[in-house]
Amino acid sequence: MHLLRTGAFLRAARSAELAVHGLRASVPASCSQSRWSSSQVAAEEQRPFPNQSVEPSREVDPNKTAAGSKEDSVQADFKKRLQKLGQENKILHENLSGAKILGNPYIFDETSNVSDSILNLVGRNLYDIPDHPIAITRNLIESCFPFPEFNHFTVKDPVVTVKDNFDVLGFPADHPGRSRTDTYYVNSNHLLRTHTSAHQHAAFQSLVAEKYVTGYTICADVYRRDSIDRTHFPVFHQMEGAKVWGLGAGESRFLAQTARTAKIAKQLDALPKTDIEVEDQATVFSKENNPIQSEHDPVELQLVVKHLKRSLEFLVEQIHKAAKESLDPAAREAFGPLKMRWIEAYFPFTTPSFEVEVFWKGEWLELLGCGVVQQPILNNAGLRYSIGWAWGVGIERFAMLLFGIPDIRLLWSTDKRFLGQFSRGKITRFEPFSKYPACYKDIAFWINPSPAGASPVGAASSATSGVAAAAGGDATKASPAETQPAAFHENDIMEVVRDVAGSLVEDVKLVDEFVQPTSGRKSLCYRINYRSLERTLTNEEVNRLHDEVAAKMKSRFKVELR
Ligand code: FA5
Ligand code: MG
């Protein structure tokens, strides 16, 4: 896996591509053990991290199968056949099943759930097309975190190991984000990354050798089996950012830390002030809700949190300003002030953790998640005596605010009427070219009371239920009040609809649910809104699509149609 440096780095004389996984992380001079007693270092090494061993990730041996056994000649031959396929991404079913993704062959196993419809979207790299709103937004975000303080990376290949996406980040074994109902698995070792945090460990490692660079951003496409509506799409783009402070100079650990605290305070002071009205609902850090890490000094921690919050408030303000300036003067007046709030959150790899929401089109829209990096993550990356923050934003959410784009599907459009409206470095208001009629169709069915093969992990862990879960796996969506075994997950119907109708569906909503008192069976009714962004759909076409959705629901999930 490669982190590809972008922007200023492409101009730099040093190598543009950095194989971070191949590097042996060396401990920086400021962290040399001789400065402190070996017992102190040993104590730090033993610090537990939730549920996981967090050794640095290694590339999976390409000669081994998912189960770890040596590849036999049939598998090797099948891989060769996959590799020879003409198209970039393709699924092949023969005596074995597998996929070619961005040129690499993978053999499927019982965990695989990627589909052609999702693989067709792999490799579009919208963030690299200079005139595309996603790339324009990415550049704007990167400009708020400039070089040489921040390195900027992109990672083209979305296939990562389960270890990098979840294990290294301390995701509990039963975190809902790991579920096949929420995540696209290539096989039991590999998945389509669900967040850019999958590259956090490698990016932190890259900071070890840096002299002036103390932070980074990573931009990439991420994949989630999610709901279908105007702000959610199974592929979207994230940008991850982080900054660390190593210990300052000093004769003792105490003095070095005091110097570091003073440095953070000074840098906080130097951050640009913002004018936005912010409601902060996450100022108290309690053991139960949003704990401080035991190794952090509370005064220093508060400074890091303030630095994080102010950096992101600056980002949100810049986006809002750019959006406002793109309007004509009359519309600018009506645009109104920005309403933004901080709320508590939970991520396995940060604590305390937060989310930013802004008020958009009459409701609160989540823009990003962030927090203070779990110390074991920094330690494992070779940044043992550093403290730092990290954030992850959804680029589409920012782009929709910036350009006034009402539906996330538009960002995947290849229609010239859409793409022709944007050019690099410019924020322009999206002009709707037409609104085509909606066609609503309901599908009602009894769900199968026995656990379905496609949804083996239904329940949320106690650590994550009722809170926003990282990297997908919304614990609140899996029907927490469900009394029967998890036979059906809402993302299952979303996936079927996506496979059959792709971006011809605007949204899918649960409109009715009830349990039959005598049998205890449960009935669900979903309303599918078929509407193309580019043309009027005919009745026949919609009926055909809807019949296919019904047939697939029946065959894949054994539901009984009503
Ligand atoms: C994460 O993915 C964390 N990795 C973010 C993070 C990074 C936290 C570093 C702490 C430190 P979350 O699942 O909330 O968190 O997603 C981050 C953002 O991605 C969301 O705030 C939202 O803006 C965007 N997002 C999430 N799901 C979708 C989707 N289906 N479509 C479009 N944007 C989405
Ligand atoms: Mg979230």
Side-chain angles (χ1 to χ4, degrees), residues 466-478:
V467 291
D474 184 346
T476 57
K477 225 173 42 189

Side-chain angles (χ1 to χ4, degrees), residues 224 347 355 366 368-369 468-471:
R224 294 185 191 176
F347 301 102
E355 272 174 0
E366 182 195 317
L368 62 92

Side-chain angles (χ1 to χ4, degrees), residues 170-207:
F171 275 71
D174 61 348
H175 190 283
R178 288 180 183 262
S179 154
R180 287 171 73 240
T181 56
D182 292 79
T183 295
Y184 291 104
Y185 280 89
V186 177
N187 55 38
S188 47
N189 266 342
H190 295 92
L191 49 82
L192 298 180
R193 69 184 152 224
T194 63
H195 56 168
T196 40
S197 304
H199 306 295
Q200 212 182 74
H201 176 77
F204 278 132
Q205 279 185 316
S206 78
L207 290 181

